[in-house]
Amino acid sequence: MKAYTIPFVGLKLGKHQFEYEIDNKFFEHFEYEEFNSVDVKIDLLFEKKTTMMELTFKASGTVNVNCDITNEPYDQPIESSLYLVIKFGEEFNDDNEDLLIIPHGEFEINVQQYIYELIVLAVPAKKVHPGVEDGTLKSDVLDKLEELSLGNKNKEKKDGDDIDPRWDKLKNLLND
C-alpha cells in the first residue's frame, strides 16, 4: 500500500493534487467484505505550509451493496469529504478526528486509513434498494413482507370482529 504514502519532506510549500482509484483490492487489504464491488475516485488536495499540512479528501463514486430489506445487490452512490490538519508535536496523537499530530522528524504520511474510513462512513447505515423506495422492484421477499405486514392483519380483524368475550366484561366495569 505504498501508493497511499505521501513523502511530504520533498514537496514544496503550496498545494499538491493526488488522485486515487479505489476498487475491491483496497478493501481486501482491510479484510472488509461488506461491499460487492467498489468504484470510487478520491481527490486529495494536500497543502503544505511551514508549520502544518492541510488535507482535503473528496470521494465520489459507487459501491455495490446488498439491500437490508430484500438482500438484492444495487449500486449505492456516495459523495463525501474529509478535512484533516496535520501538525508536528512531541509524539503521535490522533485523538481528535480533524487533527493529527505527528512527531518531529517524520517525513511521510500514509492516508489509506483516512480513505478507508471516508468511504465506509459515506455508505448509509440502512441500505435500501432504490426500487424498494419507488415501488419498481419486484422481489419474493417484498411480496412476503407485504403478505405478513401488520396492515393486513388489522384488516382481517375488522372483517371478522372476533373479540374475546372476556374483554366485554371488562368494559362493563367501566360503565358501573
Side-chain angles (χ1 to χ4, degrees):
M1 299 300 253
K2 285 191 177 255
Y4 303 100
T5 301
I6 300 172
F8 55 80
V9 167
L11 295 177
K12 295 179 181 176
L13 293 181
K15 296 180 179 180
H16 305 275
Q17 195 74 33
F18 296 91
E19 290 183 0
Y20 300 101
E21 295 290 333
I22 307 299
D23 58 12
N24 289 8
K25 288 183 181 180
F26 180 84
F27 286 95
E28 287 171 7
H29 173 75
F30 289 95
E31 297 179 7
Y32 188 78
E33 299 173 356
E34 295 291 314
F35 301 149
N36 300 325
S37 65
V38 180
D39 182 20
V40 177
K41 181 181 176 193
I42 303 288
D43 289 317
L44 170 58
L45 179 63
F46 187 101
E47 187 171 358
K48 184 177 178 183
K49 299 183 177 183
T50 53
T51 59
M52 66 182 200
M53 295 168 280
E54 295 177 352
L55 283 71
T56 306
F57 296 86
K58 291 189 177 163
S60 63
T62 60
V63 291
N64 188 283
V65 293
N66 290 340
C67 174
D68 289 337
I69 297 172
T70 64
N71 207 32
E72 294 283 332
Y74 74 100
D75 286 334
Q76 173 70 49
I78 61 167
E79 293 283 332
S80 188
S81 62
L82 170 71
Y83 178 73
L84 177 69
V85 174
I86 301 175
K87 291 189 174 188
F88 295 95
E90 293 301 315
E91 60 186 36
F92 181 86
N93 183 342
D94 64 351
D95 292 344
N96 186 333
E97 62 186 44
D98 298 328
L99 174 66
L100 173 65
I101 299 175
I102 58 175
H104 295 288
E106 284 289 319
F107 60 93
E108 63 185 16
I109 185 75
N110 190 308
V111 295
Q112 70 185 16
Q113 183 67 34
Y114 297 103
I115 292 172
Y116 169 79
E117 291 174 7
L118 178 65
I119 294 171
V120 169
L121 294 175
V123 177
K126 185 173 184 180
K127 301 176 288 289
V128 180
H129 193 291
V132 172
E133 292 175 347
D134 63 18
T136 58
L137 181 68
K138 298 297 177 209
S139 165
D140 294 339
V141 174
L142 285 177
D143 295 341
K144 192 66 173 174
L145 284 172
E146 183 64 33
E147 180 185 317
L148 299 173
S149 73
L150 289 174
N152 290 340
K153 288 184 179 179
N154 289 341
K155 289 177 188 170
E156 290 172 12
K157 283 223 179 215
K158 287 179 185 173
D159 294 342
D161 252 347
D162 294 335
I163 299 176
D164 191 335
R166 292 176 288 187
W167 292 112
D168 290 333
K169 298 281 185 199
L170 289 173
K171 287 181 185 175
N172 289 338
L173 288 175
L174 288 174
N175 296 336
D176 289 342

